[in-house]
Amino acid sequence: VYASGPAGMLAAIKEASIVPAQLALRERMACANGSCHGCAVPVREAGTITYVRACVEGPVFPAELLAW
Amino acid sequence: MVARRTATAAANAAAVADLGVELCGIPLAAPLIPAAGTLAKEALGEVIGVYGAVLPKTVTFEPRAGNPPPRIAESPSGMVNSIGLQNAGLDRFLKDLGDYDIGLPLFVSISADTVGEFAAMCERLAGEERVAAVELNLSCPNVEHGGLQFCAGPPAVREVVAACRGASYGKPMFAKLTSEGAVANAVAAEEAGADALTLINTIPALVVDPRERRVFLRGGLSGPAIKPIALRAVYEVSRRVSVPVIGVGGVVSGTDVAEFMIAGGTAVQVGAGSFVREPRRILEEFVVYLREQGVSARDLTGALTEL
């Protein structure tokens, strides 16, 4: 599944997916080049939650990585 | 065609405008520096030949995850941010220090929870030759003093700056202050050994969601909205201290850069402005201003005609 749309819709897709889903996030951005860290989204890697920058490290993320 | 003409004009302009300034003995090819937290490694390529120094995002001793979103909000003529000092910590920063090498002096902004931690970071950085200067981000809360900000008043400023001075072994140290109580804090910082003062940090601000009737964001205001406040701080402080002042707050154009220098600044930082205008354009405009005025950049510092 490839999804792009409002946050609520993406959350529902993430919740419902039984096949891998890639979600294109639309985050508020100020610099859009990785500098300000304003567009950070929570991801879960190796059990810990960190914030990654949607502008340069996304904006498409595998659904299972996101930690909303 | 237009782009090529503009690039040539800029190159010619740079060649005939004298942009060099000296800050605490450090020669800068241009009096323009990124404000802490506004230039990532990924964006360094865009600023070669533009900034006079590199200043990465504030580093803390331990890694910090930063605040949960939302971290930013737009505001008339500016923006509010509450990023939460997200960074990988001092160890990781020093390991990757070479990533910031584009042939420019490297200034490192630091923040800490306690005076001891501030001093410990200064001591680590003092031994690092590739770091030209340290900027103390004093807007953060001192957890040993009930969360009172390090820049909350002259005694707090004096304590942290003195401790850092003692741990810096002569490495140039800038104290970054807020507009609130700027003059008194600046005098205290200078007395305690700061080599320069960076004015101002963001201004405490709030964004309210009128439909959800809740606080959307509590953070700091940046951008053109704060320029008059920042200019006043630079002006009043530079008249009271002997150390150089680095002006910052709402710079988006070449004439803004000139204004901060005229008001007393030796160098100028660009923060949120770089999100809406390329720093290269800001520098080009500054060069045009210098040529029109027939002055060099260093002539501008404090060149205010008193009424």
Side-chain angles (χ1 to χ4, degrees):
Chain A
V1 169
Y2 301 107
S4 171
M9 183 192 95
L10 298 180
I13 289 171
K14 174 176 155 65
E15 179 105 358
S17 277
I18 42 179
V19 294
Q22 292 184 18
L23 310 180
L25 302 188
R26 285 191 309 203
E27 299 300 313
R28 297 171 161 262
M29 292 181 186
C31 73
N33 69 11
S35 299
C36 73
H37 289 74
C39 64
V41 293
V43 295
R44 185 178 290 106
E45 273 179 315
T48 46
I49 295 183
T50 52
Y51 290 105
V52 295
R53 299 160 294 171
C55 65
V56 293
E57 295 170 272
V60 178
F61 292 95
E64 64 270 16
L65 201 64
L66 294 165
W68 289 322
Chain B
M1 185 57 155
V2 173
R4 188 146 34 100
R5 236 188 302 134
T6 310
T8 311
N12 288 341
V16 298
D18 188 355
L19 284 168
V21 297
E22 194 184 276
L23 179 63
C24 302
I26 303 161
L28 302 180
L32 222 59
I33 303 166
T38 65
L39 181 67
K41 287 181 207 183
E42 288 89 343
L44 280 172
E46 296 162 30
V47 300
I48 292 171
V50 179
Y51 285 136
V54 172
L55 203 170
K57 184 157 182 58
T58 299
V59 185
T60 52
F61 203 84
E62 297 294 338
R64 293 221 186 157
N67 291 332
R71 294 178 170 184
I72 52 177
E74 242 184 290
S75 183
S77 297
M79 60 176 285
V80 178
N81 92 81
S82 183
I83 307 296
L85 296 179
Q86 176 174 353
N87 76 100
L90 186 60
D91 281 349
R92 183 60 196 272
F93 178 76
L94 289 174
K95 203 168 296 172
D96 297 343
L97 203 61
D99 292 351
Y100 292 103
D101 186 4
I102 52 169
L104 297 178
L106 176 63
F107 299 161
V108 177
S109 167
I110 64 170
S111 185
D113 288 333
T114 66
V115 171
E117 204 174 58
F118 257 111
M121 293 184 78
C122 282
E123 188 146 17
R124 283 284 294 282
L125 292 167
E128 182 48 72
E129 264 182 29
R130 293 172 289 173
V131 172
V134 176
E135 183 176 88
L136 309 176
N137 179 352
L138 300 180
S139 301
C140 38
N142 182 339
V143 304
E144 284 174 339
H145 284 270
L148 201 67
Q149 286 185 312
F150 285 100
C151 58
V157 168
R158 200 169 284 124
E159 189 189 2
V160 67
V161 173
C164 288
R165 175 78 283 160
S168 291
Y169 301 103
K171 192 173 290 286
M173 195 174 73
F174 315 152
K176 184 167 177 180
L177 303 171
T178 50
S179 65
E180 180 83 20
V183 173
N185 285 340
V187 169
E190 182 185 40
E191 283 172 357
D195 298 297
L197 303 163
T198 303
L199 289 146
I200 51 170
N201 210 318
T202 55
I203 299 197
L206 194 75
V207 179
V208 168
D209 184 329
R211 305 231 139 68
E212 302 279 317
R213 292 189 203 150
R214 62 181 179 91
V215 170
F216 181 79
L217 188 64
R218 182 176 177 275
L221 179 67
S222 319
I226 75 170
K227 194 184 80 166
I229 298 170
L231 278 172
R232 175 142 171 187
V234 166
Y235 172 66
E236 294 193 339
V237 164
S238 63
R239 283 150 65 92
R240 286 290 306 275
V241 300
S242 311
V243 293
V245 173
I246 301 164
V248 49
V251 172
V252 294
S253 73
T255 47
D256 288 340
V257 176
E259 287 170 23
F260 273 95
M261 293 187 75
I262 291 162
T266 297
V268 175
Q269 292 181 357
V270 178
S274 70
F275 303 160
V276 294
R277 293 199 80 215
E278 284 181 45
R280 192 171 302 277
R281 302 284 157 254
I282 298 174
L283 185 69
E284 281 167 9
E285 286 175 350
F286 182 58
V287 165
V288 168
Y289 169 86
L290 292 177
R291 290 180 62 199
E292 281 173 357
Q293 298 288 311
V295 295
S296 70
R298 76 183 73 82
D299 288 337
L300 282 182
T301 299
L304 197 62
T305 314
E306 295 292 340
L307 289 167

